Amino acid sequence: MLTSRDYRRRAWAALKGKWGTVAITYFIVMVVASICSGLSVFVIGGLLLLVLSGPIRYGESVQALNVMRGNKVDVSDIMSAQHRMGDTILAYFINGVYTFLWTLLFIIPGIIAAYSYSLTYYLMIDNPKLTPDEARRQSIKLMDGNKARLFKLHLSFIGWIFLSILTLGILLFWIMPYEQCAVAEFYDTVIPTRPTVEITPENTDPFDLNNNANTNAQKSDESKKDEPFYVFEEEMPRDDSDNHDSNISGK
């Protein structure tokens, strides 16, 4: 089973030569978010934030998958939701409502719910025929037994977050897409997918103190066949060894 370090190293290698593109993309995202926040004192600001958050997250997911799958990466990836605006907005709304309702039972259930729904946009990208709620339900199934692993992956970026403080947040333009790509790789290893990028010692995360150790461990999935990205409900993998990690039902 891959570790957080493995996901970071794969993302770091895949981003080689693409850092500028993803940084510009996230700069645009932050500018849009800042404008919406600035207008939040008016009703229009809140509405814009509600309408744009889903499509932007969808676009971020598209770009991250393109990076990790070796596809062409462009700033325009952020606009990938233009033909699915309704679905992406609905997905954001549904996930937000369910997360809020679980949060009413105290904070922890809300966090668990958010992690349960975290693969919704990736599933919508790979399965265009899925409705937002169907993607949410399949995300719950995929994350059954995997939420703790994704939480540890997010937690492993804390060193980068602290470092970004020293740069007044400028480093976030690179850290955020780096983390997004690591999550995309996590998604691609939860479902059957085509092989990922090759990892070499010189293409590793500098926060990995064991850069030169176990370099062959990152290639453990290279023997996987090139399978389509369709994910059907009956094919959903389960990790029964870690069922204590999740009590969220597919409501």
Side-chain angles (χ1 to χ4, degrees), residues 5-74:
R5 184 182 65 184
D6 298 328
Y7 294 125
R8 293 199 317 271
R9 295 177 73 179
R10 290 187 172 195
W12 187 272
L15 281 164
K16 184 178 181 181
K18 302 170 184 175
W19 287 104
T21 302
V22 297
I24 292 173
T25 301
Y26 272 76
F27 173 77
I28 294 173
V29 169
M30 290 186 178
V31 168
V32 172
S34 297
I35 293 174
C36 291
S37 297
L39 294 174
S40 60
V41 293
F42 307 103
V43 176
I44 186 65
L47 290 177
L48 279 175
L49 196 59
L50 178 63
V51 170
L52 295 178
S53 292
I56 286 176
R57 291 192 180 185
Y58 183 93
E60 291 173 344
S61 301
V62 167
Q63 185 173 78
L65 286 177
N66 283 338
V67 170
M68 298 312 301
R69 293 173 179 176
N71 300 330
K72 180 181 178 181
V73 178
D74 194 89

Side-chain angles (χ1 to χ4, degrees), residues 97-143:
V97 168
Y98 275 111
T99 300
F100 172 74
L101 292 176
W102 280 105
T103 302
L104 294 178
L105 299 178
F106 298 110
I107 301 299
I108 300 300
I111 295 175
I112 294 175
Y115 273 89
S116 293
Y117 311 147
S118 60
L119 302 183
T120 299
Y121 292 110
Y122 296 106
L123 288 163
M124 289 175 63
I125 293 166
D126 282 344
N127 304 269
K129 293 184 179 180
L130 285 181
T131 66
D133 193 54
E134 288 172 342
R136 180 186 67 87
R137 290 173 181 272
Q138 291 204 8
S139 177
I140 294 173
K141 292 179 181 292
L142 280 175
M143 291 302 292

Side-chain angles (χ1 to χ4, degrees), residues 61-222:
S61 301
V62 167
Q63 185 173 78
L65 286 177
N66 283 338
V67 170
M68 298 312 301
R69 293 173 179 176
N71 300 330
K72 180 181 178 181
V73 178
D74 194 89
V75 175
S76 61
D77 290 338
I78 200 65
M79 300 295 293
S80 299
Q82 57 183 320
H83 300 301
R84 300 195 67 183
M85 289 291 290
D87 283 345
T88 55
I89 294 172
L90 184 59
Y92 181 79
F93 179 76
I94 292 175
N95 287 352
V97 168
Y98 275 111
T99 300
F100 172 74
L101 292 176
W102 280 105
T103 302
L104 294 178
L105 299 178
F106 298 110
I107 301 299
I108 300 300
I111 295 175
I112 294 175
Y115 273 89
S116 293
Y117 311 147
S118 60
L119 302 183
T120 299
Y121 292 110
Y122 296 106
L123 288 163
M124 289 175 63
I125 293 166
D126 282 344
N127 304 269
K129 293 184 179 180
L130 285 181
T131 66
D133 193 54
E134 288 172 342
R136 180 186 67 87
R137 290 173 181 272
Q138 291 204 8
S139 177
I140 294 173
K141 292 179 181 292
L142 280 175
M143 291 302 292
D144 184 20
N146 288 312
K147 290 184 286 297
R149 293 174 60 208
L150 183 56
F151 176 76
K152 291 176 183 177
L153 175 58
H154 285 146
L155 195 62
S156 71
F157 281 87
I158 192 169
W160 284 110
I161 300 300
F162 283 134
L163 184 60
S164 71
I165 297 175
L166 301 179
T167 65
L168 302 179
I170 295 176
L171 192 59
L172 287 174
F173 297 141
W174 290 269
I175 294 176
M176 297 310 293
Y178 177 28
E179 183 175 8
Q180 186 77 41
C181 287
V183 174
E185 178 65 8
F186 170 85
Y187 164 76
D188 263 353
T189 56
V190 170
I191 62 171
T193 62
R194 61 189 64 178
T196 53
V197 295
E198 180 178 353
I199 303 300
T200 57
E202 58 269 24
N203 287 336
T204 53
D205 179 350
F207 268 80
D208 179 5
L209 300 180
N210 299 304
N211 283 345
N212 296 319
N214 300 322
T215 56
N216 290 329
Q218 322 318 320
K219 302 179 183 179
S220 59
D221 290 344
E222 288 185 355

Side-chain angles (χ1 to χ4, degrees), residues 225-237:
K225 295 182 180 179
D226 186 7
E227 301 180 29
F229 296 138
Y230 304 116
V231 182
F232 298 100
E233 184 166 346
E234 62 270 16
E235 296 177 341
M236 286 296 161

